[in-house]
Amino acid sequence: MSKRYSAQKMMIEDALMRLDHPTASEIYEDIKKTYPNISLGTVYRNLGLMAESGEILRITFGNQPDRFDINTHDHIHVICKKCGEVFDAEGKRLKELIVEIDESIEESTGVHIENRTMYFQGICSNCREQS
Amino acid sequence: MSKRYSAQKMMIEDALMRLDHPTASEIYEDIKKTYPNISLGTVYRNLGLMAESGEILRITFGNQPDRFDINTHDHIHVICKKCGEVFDAEGKRLKELIVEIDESIEESTGVHIENRTMYFQGICSNCREQS
DNA sequence: GTTTTTGCAAAGTATTTGCAAATGG
DNA sequence: CCATTTGCAAATACTTTGCAAAAAC
């Protein structure tokens, strides 16, 4: 948890609210427009701390750069393979299904599930129209 | 797909069969014991080609080094947070649940799902006994 | 004033790649 | 022989870190 409120941290929070699941360098580029002195290390450092404290979410998509999410709500990420846009999915039914998957896995492996990492990929309706 | 069968590729396949979801450097270290001339680049290159051709599976666990799996069967990976062992989960029920998740996501986001990336983390029964 | 945070640059991981030499068929 | 694969080293991509200076309270 941070002790002091730096201008940089506020700018990062602001960027997280405005940008859609941004990477560290997207946030960096965005802030640089109005505050060219910001350093990429500071962005990474703050994002790391915020993710650690649970203030934000770190999303790791395969071997691409990590993305960050101010929405810490329980939800699933869906990426369009064409345009790269990230969609959020949530809902009671989804939650129930995941609990059932947990149970099925616990039964077959004996592992008591505590965390899940998942994201889905496909083609969004917008991109489907254009083909 | 590879055109020729090199000794190195055979050694990599052999290591994949003997080791449990190994990383590239685990395979490299293993082969080096009997063939010290092997180079890490060659291991990475072959694993990449084999994964590309569908001969093996590349598993990306968060920001850890990728692991590789000769089992190309449809299954889910479960990692014990304590000992790091990787378990495989599969079954008809699991498959059905995942189809239902796909449907739920397609309905709420409009994205037509083509791929899923997921792994689960928890404590295996062995580690639970010891605490 | 003292502690935290910054900017910068250097280091750290994991992985890929260019190229001349070696190898396979 | 000739195309493919190797070993090596350098390059790349993303992220973390050490440290002196600046900022916060």
Side-chain angles (χ1 to χ4, degrees):
Chain A
M1 251 168 260
S2 52
K3 299 260 176 173
R4 293 179 191 175
Y5 236 91
S6 69
Q8 287 86 341
K9 187 180 174 188
M10 276 191 279
M11 291 186 270
I12 291 168
E13 283 180 352
D14 177 66
L16 278 163
M17 280 162 45
R18 282 183 294 99
L19 306 173
D20 178 70
H21 303 92
T23 63
S25 68
E26 281 167 359
I27 293 171
Y28 169 67
E29 292 301 336
D30 179 88
I31 295 175
K32 241 192 353 189
K33 287 181 206 155
T34 55
Y35 181 68
N37 273 6
I38 188 92
S39 116
L40 183 55
T42 297
V43 174
Y44 269 109
R45 195 154 23 200
N46 275 292
L47 289 171
L49 292 169
M50 289 154 99
E52 183 111 4
S53 78
E55 200 179 336
I56 63 172
L57 235 54
R58 177 193 293 263
I59 329 168
T60 301
F61 287 135
N63 294 322
Q64 294 171 263
D66 283 358
R67 298 183 164 274
F68 297 86
D69 197 342
I70 5 91
N71 177 8
T72 57
H73 225 145
D74 207 8
H75 65 287
I76 289 182
H77 292 110
V78 190
I79 315 128
C80 177
K81 288 165 119 180
K82 258 213 177 122
C83 65
E85 186 168 342
V86 179
F87 298 82
D88 290 340
E90 59 181 316
K92 200 175 132 232
R93 180 88 193 103
L94 211 47
K95 225 172 195 169
E96 286 168 357
L97 288 166
I98 289 166
V99 170
E100 281 197 67
I101 290 191
D102 281 1
E103 287 166 357
S104 170
I105 290 176
E106 291 186 7
E107 198 189 304
S108 67
T109 64
V111 179
H112 183 260
I113 303 305
E114 295 182 351
N115 299 283
R116 305 129 206 95
T117 299
M118 58 173 96
Y119 61 89
F120 290 68
Q121 287 158 282
I123 309 290
C124 74
S125 48
N126 229 312
C127 287
R128 253 178 297 142
E129 274 172 30
Q130 291 165 2
S131 58
Chain B
M1 253 169 258
S2 51
K3 299 259 176 177
R4 296 183 188 170
Y5 236 90
S6 68
Q8 287 86 341
K9 187 180 173 187
M10 275 191 280
M11 290 188 271
I12 291 168
E13 282 179 353
D14 177 65
L16 278 163
M17 281 162 44
R18 283 182 293 97
L19 306 173
D20 177 71
H21 304 92
T23 62
S25 68
E26 280 167 1
I27 293 171
Y28 169 67
E29 291 300 336
D30 179 89
I31 294 175
K32 237 184 9 180
K33 287 182 204 154
T34 56
Y35 181 68
N37 274 6
I38 188 93
S39 115
L40 183 56
T42 297
V43 174
Y44 269 109
R45 195 153 26 200
N46 276 292
L47 290 171
L49 292 168
M50 290 156 98
E52 184 111 5
S53 78
E55 201 180 334
I56 61 171
L57 234 53
R58 179 193 292 265
I59 330 168
T60 300
F61 287 137
N63 294 322
Q64 294 171 264
D66 283 359
R67 299 182 163 274
F68 298 87
D69 196 342
I70 5 90
N71 177 9
T72 57
H73 225 145
D74 206 9
H75 64 288
I76 289 183
H77 291 109
V78 189
I79 316 129
C80 176
K81 288 166 119 179
K82 260 218 175 115
C83 65
E85 187 168 342
V86 179
F87 298 82
D88 291 340
E90 59 182 316
K92 201 175 128 229
R93 179 88 193 103
L94 212 45
K95 226 173 195 167
E96 286 167 356
L97 288 167
I98 289 166
V99 170
E100 281 197 67
I101 290 191
D102 281 1
E103 288 166 355
S104 170
I105 290 176
E106 292 186 6
E107 198 189 303
S108 67
T109 64
V111 179
H112 184 258
I113 303 304
E114 295 182 350
N115 299 283
R116 305 127 207 97
T117 299
M118 58 173 98
Y119 60 90
F120 290 69
Q121 287 157 283
I123 309 290
C124 74
S125 49
N126 229 311
C127 286
R128 253 177 296 141
E129 274 172 31
Q130 290 165 3
S131 56

